[in-house]
Amino acid sequence: MIIVLLGPPGAGKGTQSKQLVKHFGIRHLSTGDMLREVRQQNTPLAMEIAEYIDSGRLVPDDLIMKLVENRLAQPDCQHGCLLDGVPRTLAQARILDDLFRRCGWVLDHVIALDASPADLVDRLLGRAKVEGRTDDTPETIQRRMEVYERETAPLLDYYCGKGLLRKVSAMGTLEEVSRRILAATGGEPQGSGR
Ligand code: AMP
């Protein structure tokens, strides 16, 4: 089973992903986590990535998709995975489609978490106090929201056109949102036969 979880910053993609991968027994592939791991290293690439993340801009498509392709080739992803934070641009979505086609894999579900920008900004500012993420400052949050609207929101139409998109309200408790997502996916780990 392959699931893509879309949503603006602060919609709870990371938290919901953790629930979903447990339920379906698939891998959690978070590009944000992968990039934060690379940035820990003392390399020119780590410094370049830190600049993108801290300014709220997207890492270039070819760089992120190389990381994703390598990760998807690992044995632990062969039973399915949940993509959290990717694709974030139409170019990434097309690269991913091409990758799936070459591998003979089927994208089962695209879930789009939905919430009002004002609620999301409040959540992110709250998260900044708890987690201390370097990109949860007011200016960067604003930039990430703009980038989401410009680069990522067009993916909703893209996946809607393919008949894969399910919109789910991100408001409510963790359990309520989880239940909505499970209902939208059919709730059972069946589908692609992968
Ligand atoms: P996230 O943890 O998903 O909110 O991602 C944190 C930051 O990592 C984003 O604001 C981007 O700078 C970068 N990032 C994560 N995923 C991607 C992606 N698919 N494409 C480009 N940049 C990404």
Side-chain angles (χ1 to χ4, degrees), residues 65 87 89-99 101 155 158-159:
M65 294 315 289
T89 65
L90 278 172
Q92 292 181 17
R94 294 193 179 110
I95 293 171
L96 208 54
D97 280 349
D98 192 48
L99 182 64
R101 203 169 22 248
L155 292 178
Y158 180 79
Y159 285 121

Side-chain angles (χ1 to χ4, degrees), residues 86-131:
V86 68
R88 257 178 156 101
T89 65
L90 278 172
Q92 292 181 17
R94 294 193 179 110
I95 293 171
L96 208 54
D97 280 349
D98 192 48
L99 182 64
F100 290 157
R101 203 169 22 248
R102 278 187 281 127
C103 297
W105 295 349
V106 176
L107 174 56
D108 296 272
H109 303 287
V110 178
I111 305 293
L113 292 176
D114 196 30
S116 82
D119 288 328
L120 295 174
V121 171
D122 282 350
R123 268 197 203 177
L124 287 168
L125 291 173
R127 183 172 81 179
K129 290 194 194 110
V130 181
E131 294 181 16

Side-chain angles (χ1 to χ4, degrees), residues 84-181:
D84 159 15
V86 68
R88 257 178 156 101
T89 65
L90 278 172
Q92 292 181 17
R94 294 193 179 110
I95 293 171
L96 208 54
D97 280 349
D98 192 48
L99 182 64
F100 290 157
R101 203 169 22 248
R102 278 187 281 127
C103 297
W105 295 349
V106 176
L107 174 56
D108 296 272
H109 303 287
V110 178
I111 305 293
L113 292 176
D114 196 30
S116 82
D119 288 328
L120 295 174
V121 171
D122 282 350
R123 268 197 203 177
L124 287 168
L125 291 173
R127 183 172 81 179
K129 290 194 194 110
V130 181
E131 294 181 16
R133 261 178 63 156
T134 52
D135 56 349
D136 279 344
T137 64
E139 301 74 34
T140 313
I141 288 171
Q142 181 62 32
R143 167 77 71 87
R144 285 159 61 212
M145 290 295 182
E146 287 163 11
V147 168
Y148 175 82
E149 277 308 318
R150 191 177 62 242
E151 306 282 350
T152 311
L155 292 178
L156 302 188
D157 278 347
Y158 180 79
Y159 285 121
C160 190
K162 290 175 176 285
L164 289 172
L165 188 81
R166 299 283 175 277
K167 272 195 190 177
V168 168
S169 165
M171 299 317 291
T173 63
L174 188 161
E175 291 76 19
E176 283 165 352
V177 179
S178 266
R179 274 200 295 274
R180 283 179 210 135
I181 298 178

Side-chain angles (χ1 to χ4, degrees), residues 5-114:
L5 190 59
L6 295 175
K13 293 189 298 295
T15 313
Q16 290 302 329
S17 294
K18 290 190 184 90
Q19 303 287 317
L20 274 172
V21 295
K22 247 192 261 162
H23 182 89
F24 286 112
I26 56 179
R27 275 288 150 186
H28 180 195
L29 194 158
S30 155
T31 44
D33 286 351
M34 285 163 67
L35 291 170
R36 281 184 285 276
E37 209 172 287
V38 176
R39 91 173 272 183
Q40 303 297 323
Q41 300 155 10
N42 195 13
T43 61
L45 177 65
M47 284 161 67
E48 195 187 328
I49 285 175
E51 276 177 33
Y52 283 110
I53 294 179
D54 293 347
S55 63
R57 287 176 301 143
L58 294 181
V59 169
D61 293 330
D62 54 344
L63 171 54
I64 196 76
M65 294 315 289
K66 239 177 254 159
L67 286 176
V68 169
E69 184 166 357
N70 286 339
R71 185 67 189 88
L72 284 175
Q74 302 296 313
D76 62 333
C77 287
Q78 306 310 305
H79 302 293
C81 63
L82 182 143
L83 299 174
D84 159 15
V86 68
R88 257 178 156 101
T89 65
L90 278 172
Q92 292 181 17
R94 294 193 179 110
I95 293 171
L96 208 54
D97 280 349
D98 192 48
L99 182 64
F100 290 157
R101 203 169 22 248
R102 278 187 281 127
C103 297
W105 295 349
V106 176
L107 174 56
D108 296 272
H109 303 287
V110 178
I111 305 293
L113 292 176
D114 196 30

